[in-house]
Amino acid sequence: MTSTLFTPFAMRGLTLANRIVVSPMCQYSADDGSATDWHIEHLGMLSHSGAALVVIEATGVERAGRITHGCLGLYSDANEAALARVVGAVRRYSDTPIGIQIGHAGRKASAARPWEGGGALRPDQHPWQTVAPSALPFDQGWRMPKALSEAEIDRIVDSFATAARRAARIGLDEIELHCAHGYLLHEFLSPIANRRDDSYGGSRENRMRLPLRVAEAVRAVWPADKPMGARLSSTDWREDGWTIEDSVAFARALKERGCDFVCASSGGIAGRIAVPQGPGYMVPFAQRMRREAGIATRAVGLIVTPLQAEAIIAEGQADMVALARAVLDDPRWGWHAAVALGAEAHYAPQYERVRPKTWPGAALARGG
Ligand SMILES: Cc1cc2nc3c(=O)[nH]c(=O)nc-3n(C[C@H](O)[C@H](O)[C@H](O)COP(=O)(O)O)c2cc1C
């Protein structure tokens, strides 16, 4: 059996060893945006998963653009130094490429950590003023955001570029713009959150203006030999919202601006929208953008088994798969997928002794 999941994939000067990507995952464990020892442990663990790329969690380009008080940021010299320390520690023992997702939480900022109840911060929890395209809250019980002025929009574009420069200085390998899940750039795209009547609202072209300005500004400062991509909410799952047809148009426009891939996620624009989740339920969005926009895609969402991931790549539905919960559950997911698919994964020399061909226990451990 020849696995396609374990074939290399090149984007600009970065060649991924296989098609498995660790999806960005908020850890809510930063200190005023600065990465901590938890991040060394978390990213270090994932760098030995057999995945070809680990993407660092949603990282705020402004202090007010963090989702929670514990979210990572790249808005200060201290943030940059802290992340450089973490990346340096991980790289000491792993050559797995590391990417980063940069974003702004918009009207979903100023939230509590999930284990502190989630939702909008209460007055005694140091909430802050949120911003959005329009003064419309995310849902009942959420803070009323301030509609951004054109000058403030310009400042946010600059913040994305400044954060990208910091990520480049740290030497990260890949950058991903967070245009999904109801955060600021998605809020501009979606007619559900964007009711502006200036050049940033109304037509789809106008609603795409800010995210595309951000893509241009980031591409201009991000090294030309390194890939840049974007995560989209492919659909809002509501008739009056952003659709997959809109996503195809947006993906084309991103490609024209030097974007190398899109990651096809979905949802998150407002409360109380039902999402029909099931295994691989967003894969068709990746397939459609790949086919119709001619851009590399990353499929994500309830991709759990090696055979499922293999089929997505082998059938040309996507170029890469991103996994979140399955790799947290099994941080050696890539090793185990290689065994299941008859391929080879990378092991750190310290861990070579569990490579299946040298360890008779491997088959027993997998119930063989
Ligand atoms: C703990 C956790 C944190 C997450 N944080 C982020 C994030 O920072 N940025 C993002 O775009 N998605 C985030 N997600 C969504 C995942 O990246 C992924 O898209 C989603 O979990 C679906 O994939 P899965 O079924 O493999 O978990 C997070 C998911 C989890 C479980």
PDB file of all heavy atoms in Angstrom, residues 207-235:
ATOM      1  N   ARG A 207     -17.097  44.053   1.462  1.00  0.00           N
ATOM      2  CA  ARG A 207     -16.913  43.295   2.715  1.00  0.00           C
ATOM      3  C   ARG A 207     -15.573  42.560   2.720  1.00  0.00           C
ATOM      4  O   ARG A 207     -15.010  42.282   3.777  1.00  0.00           O
ATOM      5  CB  ARG A 207     -18.098  42.331   2.912  1.00  0.00           C
ATOM      6  CG  ARG A 207     -19.358  43.053   3.408  1.00  0.00           C
ATOM      7  CD  ARG A 207     -20.542  42.121   3.619  1.00  0.00           C
ATOM      8  NE  ARG A 207     -21.222  41.816   2.375  1.00  0.00           N
ATOM      9  CZ  ARG A 207     -21.323  40.606   1.835  1.00  0.00           C
ATOM     10  NH1 ARG A 207     -20.780  39.555   2.427  1.00  0.00           N
ATOM     11  NH2 ARG A 207     -21.955  40.428   0.692  1.00  0.00           N
ATOM     12  N   MET A 208     -15.055  42.247   1.534  1.00  0.00           N
ATOM     13  CA  MET A 208     -13.752  41.572   1.465  1.00  0.00           C
ATOM     14  C   MET A 208     -12.584  42.551   1.602  1.00  0.00           C
ATOM     15  O   MET A 208     -11.432  42.150   1.742  1.00  0.00           O
ATOM     16  CB  MET A 208     -13.617  40.809   0.134  1.00  0.00           C
ATOM     17  CG  MET A 208     -14.610  39.676  -0.027  1.00  0.00           C
ATOM     18  SD  MET A 208     -14.212  38.453  -1.339  1.00  0.00           S
ATOM     19  CE  MET A 208     -13.738  39.468  -2.712  1.00  0.00           C
ATOM     20  N   ARG A 209     -12.900  43.865   1.535  1.00  0.00           N
ATOM     21  CA  ARG A 209     -11.831  44.866   1.442  1.00  0.00           C
ATOM     22  C   ARG A 209     -10.828  44.788   2.598  1.00  0.00           C
ATOM     23  O   ARG A 209      -9.612  44.763   2.373  1.00  0.00           O
ATOM     24  CB  ARG A 209     -12.431  46.281   1.345  1.00  0.00           C
ATOM     25  CG  ARG A 209     -11.423  47.349   0.916  1.00  0.00           C
ATOM     26  CD  ARG A 209     -12.086  48.716   0.706  1.00  0.00           C
ATOM     27  NE  ARG A 209     -13.251  48.681  -0.164  1.00  0.00           N
ATOM     28  CZ  ARG A 209     -13.202  48.654  -1.506  1.00  0.00           C
ATOM     29  NH1 ARG A 209     -12.025  48.699  -2.105  1.00  0.00           N
ATOM     30  NH2 ARG A 209     -14.302  48.606  -2.220  1.00  0.00           N
ATOM     31  N   LEU A 210     -11.320  44.749   3.846  1.00  0.00           N
ATOM     32  CA  LEU A 210     -10.371  44.726   4.973  1.00  0.00           C
ATOM     33  C   LEU A 210      -9.538  43.434   4.978  1.00  0.00           C
ATOM     34  O   LEU A 210      -8.301  43.507   5.024  1.00  0.00           O
ATOM     35  CB  LEU A 210     -11.071  44.940   6.321  1.00  0.00           C
ATOM     36  CG  LEU A 210     -10.156  44.684   7.538  1.00  0.00           C
ATOM     37  CD1 LEU A 210      -8.953  45.622   7.543  1.00  0.00           C
ATOM     38  CD2 LEU A 210     -10.927  44.813   8.846  1.00  0.00           C
ATOM     39  N   PRO A 211     -10.183  42.242   4.921  1.00  0.00           N
ATOM     40  CA  PRO A 211      -9.336  41.035   4.920  1.00  0.00           C
ATOM     41  C   PRO A 211      -8.315  41.029   3.775  1.00  0.00           C
ATOM     42  O   PRO A 211      -7.173  40.585   3.965  1.00  0.00           O
ATOM     43  CB  PRO A 211     -10.359  39.897   4.756  1.00  0.00           C
ATOM     44  CG  PRO A 211     -11.644  40.457   5.268  1.00  0.00           C
ATOM     45  CD  PRO A 211     -11.625  41.925   4.974  1.00  0.00           C
ATOM     46  N   LEU A 212      -8.689  41.547   2.621  1.00  0.00           N
ATOM     47  CA  LEU A 212      -7.738  41.551   1.498  1.00  0.00           C
ATOM     48  C   LEU A 212      -6.631  42.581   1.711  1.00  0.00           C
ATOM     49  O   LEU A 212      -5.471  42.340   1.351  1.00  0.00           O
ATOM     50  CB  LEU A 212      -8.461  41.787   0.166  1.00  0.00           C
ATOM     51  CG  LEU A 212      -9.390  40.630  -0.265  1.00  0.00           C
ATOM     52  CD1 LEU A 212     -10.093  40.971  -1.579  1.00  0.00           C
ATOM     53  CD2 LEU A 212      -8.634  39.306  -0.402  1.00  0.00           C
ATOM     54  N   ARG A 213      -6.969  43.703   2.335  1.00  0.00           N
ATOM     55  CA  ARG A 213      -5.914  44.679   2.678  1.00  0.00           C
ATOM     56  C   ARG A 213      -4.927  44.040   3.652  1.00  0.00           C
ATOM     57  O   ARG A 213      -3.715  44.233   3.558  1.00  0.00           O
ATOM     58  CB  ARG A 213      -6.527  45.934   3.334  1.00  0.00           C
ATOM     59  CG  ARG A 213      -7.053  46.962   2.361  1.00  0.00           C
ATOM     60  CD  ARG A 213      -7.393  48.257   3.091  1.00  0.00           C
ATOM     61  NE  ARG A 213      -6.210  48.922   3.636  1.00  0.00           N
ATOM     62  CZ  ARG A 213      -6.244  49.912   4.523  1.00  0.00           C
ATOM     63  NH1 ARG A 213      -7.412  50.376   4.972  1.00  0.00           N
ATOM     64  NH2 ARG A 213      -5.132  50.456   4.968  1.00  0.00           N
ATOM     65  N   VAL A 214      -5.484  43.286   4.608  1.00  0.00           N
ATOM     66  CA  VAL A 214      -4.617  42.609   5.588  1.00  0.00           C
ATOM     67  C   VAL A 214      -3.718  41.601   4.870  1.00  0.00           C
ATOM     68  O   VAL A 214      -2.506  41.537   5.126  1.00  0.00           O
ATOM     69  CB  VAL A 214      -5.471  41.927   6.684  1.00  0.00           C
ATOM     70  CG1 VAL A 214      -4.634  40.960   7.514  1.00  0.00           C
ATOM     71  CG2 VAL A 214      -6.121  42.979   7.588  1.00  0.00           C
ATOM     72  N   ALA A 215      -4.303  40.836   3.950  1.00  0.00           N
ATOM     73  CA  ALA A 215      -3.498  39.844   3.215  1.00  0.00           C
ATOM     74  C   ALA A 215      -2.363  40.531   2.457  1.00  0.00           C
ATOM     75  O   ALA A 215      -1.215  40.062   2.474  1.00  0.00           O
ATOM     76  CB  ALA A 215      -4.390  39.052   2.256  1.00  0.00           C
ATOM     77  N   GLU A 216      -2.667  41.650   1.828  1.00  0.00           N
ATOM     78  CA  GLU A 216      -1.622  42.378   1.081  1.00  0.00           C
ATOM     79  C   GLU A 216      -0.539  42.893   2.023  1.00  0.00           C
ATOM     80  O   GLU A 216       0.662  42.782   1.739  1.00  0.00           O
ATOM     81  CB  GLU A 216      -2.232  43.581   0.343  1.00  0.00           C
ATOM     82  CG  GLU A 216      -2.939  43.187  -0.935  1.00  0.00           C
ATOM     83  CD  GLU A 216      -3.812  44.316  -1.496  1.00  0.00           C
ATOM     84  OE1 GLU A 216      -3.707  45.463  -1.007  1.00  0.00           O
ATOM     85  OE2 GLU A 216      -4.590  44.031  -2.411  1.00  0.00           O
ATOM     86  N   ALA A 217      -0.973  43.456   3.154  1.00  0.00           N
ATOM     87  CA  ALA A 217      -0.006  44.047   4.092  1.00  0.00           C
ATOM     88  C   ALA A 217       0.882  42.976   4.709  1.00  0.00           C
ATOM     89  O   ALA A 217       2.089  43.182   4.899  1.00  0.00           O
ATOM     90  CB  ALA A 217      -0.756  44.825   5.183  1.00  0.00           C
ATOM     91  N   VAL A 218       0.301  41.831   5.013  1.00  0.00           N
ATOM     92  CA  VAL A 218       1.097  40.756   5.612  1.00  0.00           C
ATOM     93  C   VAL A 218       2.041  40.165   4.564  1.00  0.00           C
ATOM     94  O   VAL A 218       3.220  39.939   4.835  1.00  0.00           O
ATOM     95  CB  VAL A 218       0.181  39.685   6.250  1.00  0.00           C
ATOM     96  CG1 VAL A 218       0.978  38.438   6.652  1.00  0.00           C
ATOM     97  CG2 VAL A 218      -0.533  40.271   7.472  1.00  0.00           C
ATOM     98  N   ARG A 219       1.518  39.957   3.353  1.00  0.00           N
ATOM     99  CA  ARG A 219       2.373  39.376   2.303  1.00  0.00           C
ATOM    100  C   ARG A 219       3.580  40.272   2.036  1.00  0.00           C
ATOM    101  O   ARG A 219       4.682  39.785   1.768  1.00  0.00           O
ATOM    102  CB  ARG A 219       1.547  39.168   1.027  1.00  0.00           C
ATOM    103  CG  ARG A 219       2.195  38.418  -0.092  1.00  0.00           C
ATOM    104  CD  ARG A 219       2.420  36.925   0.173  1.00  0.00           C
ATOM    105  NE  ARG A 219       3.716  36.610   0.734  1.00  0.00           N
ATOM    106  CZ  ARG A 219       4.126  35.366   1.010  1.00  0.00           C
ATOM    107  NH1 ARG A 219       3.359  34.328   0.794  1.00  0.00           N
ATOM    108  NH2 ARG A 219       5.309  35.154   1.542  1.00  0.00           N
ATOM    109  N   ALA A 220       3.362  41.586   2.154  1.00  0.00           N
ATOM    110  CA  ALA A 220       4.445  42.532   1.858  1.00  0.00           C
ATOM    111  C   ALA A 220       5.590  42.432   2.870  1.00  0.00           C
ATOM    112  O   ALA A 220       6.733  42.744   2.538  1.00  0.00           O
ATOM    113  CB  ALA A 220       3.886  43.958   1.830  1.00  0.00           C
ATOM    114  N   VAL A 221       5.299  41.997   4.081  1.00  0.00           N
ATOM    115  CA  VAL A 221       6.370  41.943   5.090  1.00  0.00           C
ATOM    116  C   VAL A 221       6.794  40.510   5.415  1.00  0.00           C
ATOM    117  O   VAL A 221       7.829  40.287   6.029  1.00  0.00           O
ATOM    118  CB  VAL A 221       5.960  42.662   6.404  1.00  0.00           C
ATOM    119  CG1 VAL A 221       5.658  44.130   6.128  1.00  0.00           C
ATOM    120  CG2 VAL A 221       4.780  41.991   7.085  1.00  0.00           C
ATOM    121  N   TRP A 222       5.971  39.541   5.046  1.00  0.00           N
ATOM    122  CA  TRP A 222       6.287  38.137   5.338  1.00  0.00           C
ATOM    123  C   TRP A 222       7.257  37.638   4.277  1.00  0.00           C
ATOM    124  O   TRP A 222       7.061  37.915   3.089  1.00  0.00           O
ATOM    125  CB  TRP A 222       4.977  37.336   5.341  1.00  0.00           C
ATOM    126  CG  TRP A 222       5.129  35.890   5.695  1.00  0.00           C
ATOM    127  CD1 TRP A 222       4.899  34.819   4.881  1.00  0.00           C
ATOM    128  CD2 TRP A 222       5.519  35.354   6.968  1.00  0.00           C
ATOM    129  NE1 TRP A 222       5.129  33.652   5.555  1.00  0.00           N
ATOM    130  CE2 TRP A 222       5.522  33.948   6.840  1.00  0.00           C
ATOM    131  CE3 TRP A 222       5.897  35.919   8.189  1.00  0.00           C
ATOM    132  CZ2 TRP A 222       5.873  33.100   7.899  1.00  0.00           C
ATOM    133  CZ3 TRP A 222       6.246  35.077   9.238  1.00  0.00           C
ATOM    134  CH2 TRP A 222       6.232  33.689   9.086  1.00  0.00           C
ATOM    135  N   PRO A 223       8.317  36.910   4.664  1.00  0.00           N
ATOM    136  CA  PRO A 223       9.339  36.515   3.692  1.00  0.00           C
ATOM    137  C   PRO A 223       8.749  35.822   2.455  1.00  0.00           C
ATOM    138  O   PRO A 223       7.878  34.957   2.576  1.00  0.00           O
ATOM    139  CB  PRO A 223      10.225  35.554   4.487  1.00  0.00           C
ATOM    140  CG  PRO A 223      10.048  35.968   5.917  1.00  0.00           C
ATOM    141  CD  PRO A 223       8.632  36.453   6.030  1.00  0.00           C
ATOM    142  N   ALA A 224       9.262  36.212   1.286  1.00  0.00           N
ATOM    143  CA  ALA A 224       8.711  35.717   0.012  1.00  0.00           C
ATOM    144  C   ALA A 224       8.878  34.209  -0.143  1.00  0.00           C
ATOM    145  O   ALA A 224       8.130  33.580  -0.889  1.00  0.00           O
ATOM    146  CB  ALA A 224       9.386  36.445  -1.148  1.00  0.00           C
ATOM    147  N   ASP A 225       9.851  33.624   0.569  1.00  0.00           N
ATOM    148  CA  ASP A 225      10.050  32.170   0.410  1.00  0.00           C
ATOM    149  C   ASP A 225       9.232  31.364   1.422  1.00  0.00           C
ATOM    150  O   ASP A 225       9.369  30.147   1.500  1.00  0.00           O
ATOM    151  CB  ASP A 225      11.543  31.820   0.545  1.00  0.00           C
ATOM    152  CG  ASP A 225      12.102  32.187   1.916  1.00  0.00           C
ATOM    153  OD1 ASP A 225      11.512  33.058   2.601  1.00  0.00           O
ATOM    154  OD2 ASP A 225      13.119  31.592   2.320  1.00  0.00           O
ATOM    155  N   LYS A 226       8.382  32.050   2.201  1.00  0.00           N
ATOM    156  CA  LYS A 226       7.593  31.315   3.203  1.00  0.00           C
ATOM    157  C   LYS A 226       6.101  31.411   2.882  1.00  0.00           C
ATOM    158  O   LYS A 226       5.619  32.473   2.468  1.00  0.00           O
ATOM    159  CB  LYS A 226       7.838  31.884   4.599  1.00  0.00           C
ATOM    160  CG  LYS A 226       9.267  31.655   5.063  1.00  0.00           C
ATOM    161  CD  LYS A 226       9.448  32.032   6.511  1.00  0.00           C
ATOM    162  CE  LYS A 226      10.892  31.771   6.916  1.00  0.00           C
ATOM    163  NZ  LYS A 226      11.112  32.000   8.347  1.00  0.00           N
ATOM    164  N   PRO A 227       5.355  30.328   3.099  1.00  0.00           N
ATOM    165  CA  PRO A 227       3.932  30.352   2.750  1.00  0.00           C
ATOM    166  C   PRO A 227       3.081  31.160   3.721  1.00  0.00           C
ATOM    167  O   PRO A 227       3.366  31.248   4.920  1.00  0.00           O
ATOM    168  CB  PRO A 227       3.531  28.875   2.781  1.00  0.00           C
ATOM    169  CG  PRO A 227       4.568  28.181   3.585  1.00  0.00           C
ATOM    170  CD  PRO A 227       5.821  28.995   3.514  1.00  0.00           C
ATOM    171  N   MET A 228       2.056  31.757   3.114  1.00  0.00           N
ATOM    172  CA  MET A 228       1.024  32.460   3.885  1.00  0.00           C
ATOM    173  C   MET A 228      -0.315  31.864   3.470  1.00  0.00           C
ATOM    174  O   MET A 228      -0.526  31.578   2.290  1.00  0.00           O
ATOM    175  CB  MET A 228       1.047  33.941   3.532  1.00  0.00           C
ATOM    176  CG  MET A 228      -0.079  34.733   4.148  1.00  0.00           C
ATOM    177  SD  MET A 228       0.018  36.480   3.662  1.00  0.00           S
ATOM    178  CE  MET A 228      -1.294  36.555   2.476  1.00  0.00           C
ATOM    179  N   GLY A 229      -1.197  31.677   4.420  1.00  0.00           N
ATOM    180  CA  GLY A 229      -2.518  31.154   4.095  1.00  0.00           C
ATOM    181  C   GLY A 229      -3.574  31.837   4.933  1.00  0.00           C
ATOM    182  O   GLY A 229      -3.289  32.805   5.656  1.00  0.00           O
ATOM    183  N   ALA A 230      -4.798  31.352   4.801  1.00  0.00           N
ATOM    184  CA  ALA A 230      -5.893  31.926   5.587  1.00  0.00           C
ATOM    185  C   ALA A 230      -6.852  30.821   5.974  1.00  0.00           C
ATOM    186  O   ALA A 230      -7.076  29.887   5.200  1.00  0.00           O
ATOM    187  CB  ALA A 230      -6.630  32.980   4.766  1.00  0.00           C
ATOM    188  N   ARG A 231      -7.378  30.941   7.171  1.00  0.00           N
ATOM    189  CA  ARG A 231      -8.457  30.036   7.576  1.00  0.00           C
ATOM    190  C   ARG A 231      -9.774  30.765   7.375  1.00  0.00           C
ATOM    191  O   ARG A 231      -9.945  31.891   7.855  1.00  0.00           O
ATOM    192  CB  ARG A 231      -8.277  29.610   9.028  1.00  0.00           C
ATOM    193  CG  ARG A 231      -9.462  28.826   9.529  1.00  0.00           C
ATOM    194  CD  ARG A 231      -9.206  28.168  10.863  1.00  0.00           C
ATOM    195  NE  ARG A 231      -8.606  26.861  10.674  1.00  0.00           N
ATOM    196  CZ  ARG A 231      -8.626  25.895  11.594  1.00  0.00           C
ATOM    197  NH1 ARG A 231      -9.186  26.104  12.762  1.00  0.00           N
ATOM    198  NH2 ARG A 231      -8.080  24.736  11.351  1.00  0.00           N
ATOM    199  N   LEU A 232     -10.689  30.143   6.673  1.00  0.00           N
ATOM    200  CA  LEU A 232     -11.985  30.769   6.396  1.00  0.00           C
ATOM    201  C   LEU A 232     -13.090  30.020   7.104  1.00  0.00           C
ATOM    202  O   LEU A 232     -13.013  28.804   7.275  1.00  0.00           O
ATOM    203  CB  LEU A 232     -12.343  30.696   4.908  1.00  0.00           C
ATOM    204  CG  LEU A 232     -11.304  30.938   3.838  1.00  0.00           C
ATOM    205  CD1 LEU A 232     -12.010  30.997   2.488  1.00  0.00           C
ATOM    206  CD2 LEU A 232     -10.576  32.206   4.097  1.00  0.00           C
ATOM    207  N   SER A 233     -14.151  30.733   7.418  1.00  0.00           N
ATOM    208  CA  SER A 233     -15.410  30.054   7.695  1.00  0.00           C
ATOM    209  C   SER A 233     -16.086  29.932   6.335  1.00  0.00           C
ATOM    210  O   SER A 233     -16.601  30.912   5.794  1.00  0.00           O
ATOM    211  CB  SER A 233     -16.274  30.831   8.693  1.00  0.00           C
ATOM    212  OG  SER A 233     -15.883  30.498  10.014  1.00  0.00           O
ATOM    213  N   SER A 234     -16.046  28.737   5.773  1.00  0.00           N
ATOM    214  CA  SER A 234     -16.511  28.531   4.395  1.00  0.00           C
ATOM    215  C   SER A 234     -17.977  28.898   4.239  1.00  0.00           C
ATOM    216  O   SER A 234     -18.403  29.285   3.158  1.00  0.00           O
ATOM    217  CB  SER A 234     -16.335  27.066   3.997  1.00  0.00           C
ATOM    218  OG  SER A 234     -15.074  26.600   4.355  1.00  0.00           O
ATOM    219  N   THR A 235     -18.739  28.735   5.305  1.00  0.00           N
ATOM    220  CA  THR A 235     -20.151  29.117   5.300  1.00  0.00           C
ATOM    221  C   THR A 235     -20.550  29.535   6.717  1.00  0.00           C
ATOM    222  O   THR A 235     -19.975  29.057   7.690  1.00  0.00           O
ATOM    223  CB  THR A 235     -21.060  27.960   4.836  1.00  0.00           C
ATOM    224  OG1 THR A 235     -22.435  28.345   5.001  1.00  0.00           O
ATOM    225  CG2 THR A 235     -20.848  26.685   5.644  1.00  0.00           C
TER     226      THR A 235
END
